[in-house]
Amino acid sequence: MANSILVLCLLAFSCTVATAFEPSPLQDFCVADTSTNAGRVNGLPCLDSKLADANHFYFSGLHIAGNSSSSVGSKVSPVTVAQIPGLNTLGIALARIDYAQWGVVPPHTHPRATEILTVLEGSLYVGFVTSNPENRLISKVLQKGDVFVFPIGLPHFQQNVGNENAVSLSALSSQNPGVITIANAVFGSNPPIAEDVLVKAFQLDKSIVNRLQTQF
Ligand SMILES: *[C@@H]1O[C@H](CO)[C@@H](O)[C@H](O)[C@H]1NC(C)=O
């Protein structure tokens, strides 16, 4: 009796973990049916599999450089389930990133995905920070062909440190990795986080908090 309860508990636990991490699909594929509001379990409803064709699994355009002349000097071109409905339930996505000289991808996290990045052109300074209380920075300068991993959920960043534009390609372990850019989330939330919270949290003067809030 005690044994079967233990087995049941283990089963329930493993099911919970699997659901939270985009479980292995129970069918060949589940092309996202974006035309319906039918209930979703953990992703988008499936299109009738007989209606699926090659274009549901296809995207074109990652050979095109993104326009990196933004204030941070980078441009992300995502290829997630939003671009390829056939990625629904499969737990994987891609992104091309273009960097202007000294351009950065500001510190951000992907709440649902580990990222593995390859440098296609140029040199990047990359890093991530571990959880409290260590908050250890693990960083490296990468050259063309180098690969680096950002573990799921950890804040990370990239900077172009070469003398030319840089390009990287990332694979991510979710059809919908999500992005939380730290500065935008904290200083640019809508509606704003109460100013006195930010003053105390960041140990800054009100004027600096206000300035940061207008910036983001
Ligand atoms: C790139 O973006 C900048 C700033 O948004 C804009 O001024 C420029 O025209 C864009 N360049 C191209 C080629 O689209």
Side-chain angles (χ1 to χ4, degrees), residues 67-70:
N67 182 352
S68 60
S69 48
S70 62

Coordinates of all heavy atoms in Angstrom, one line a residue, residues 67-70, ligand 1:
N67 N 17.9 45.2 -39.0 CA 18.4 46.6 -38.9 C 18.8 46.9 -37.4 O 18.0 47.0 -36.5 CB 17.2 47.5 -39.3 CG 17.7 49.0 -39.3 OD1 18.8 49.3 -38.8 ND2 16.8 49.9 -39.8
S68 N 20.2 46.9 -37.2 CA 20.7 47.0 -35.8 C 20.9 48.5 -35.4 O 21.4 48.7 -34.3 CB 22.0 46.3 -35.7 OG 22.9 46.8 -36.6
S69 N 20.4 49.4 -36.2 CA 20.6 50.8 -35.7 C 19.5 51.3 -34.8 O 18.7 52.2 -35.1 CB 20.8 51.8 -36.9 OG 19.8 51.6 -37.9
S70 N 19.4 50.6 -33.7 CA 18.5 51.0 -32.6 C 19.3 51.7 -31.5 O 20.5 51.7 -31.6 CB 17.7 49.8 -32.1 OG 18.7 48.9 -31.5
Ligands
LIG1 C1 17.1 51.3 -39.7 O1 16.5 51.8 -38.6 C2 16.8 53.2 -38.4 C3 16.2 53.7 -37.1 O2 15.0 53.1 -36.8 C4 16.1 54.0 -39.6 O3 16.4 55.3 -39.5 C5 16.7 53.4 -40.9 O4 16.1 54.0 -42.0 C6 16.6 51.9 -41.0 N1 17.4 51.4 -42.1 C7 16.9 50.5 -43.0 C8 17.8 50.1 -44.1 O5 15.7 50.2 -42.9

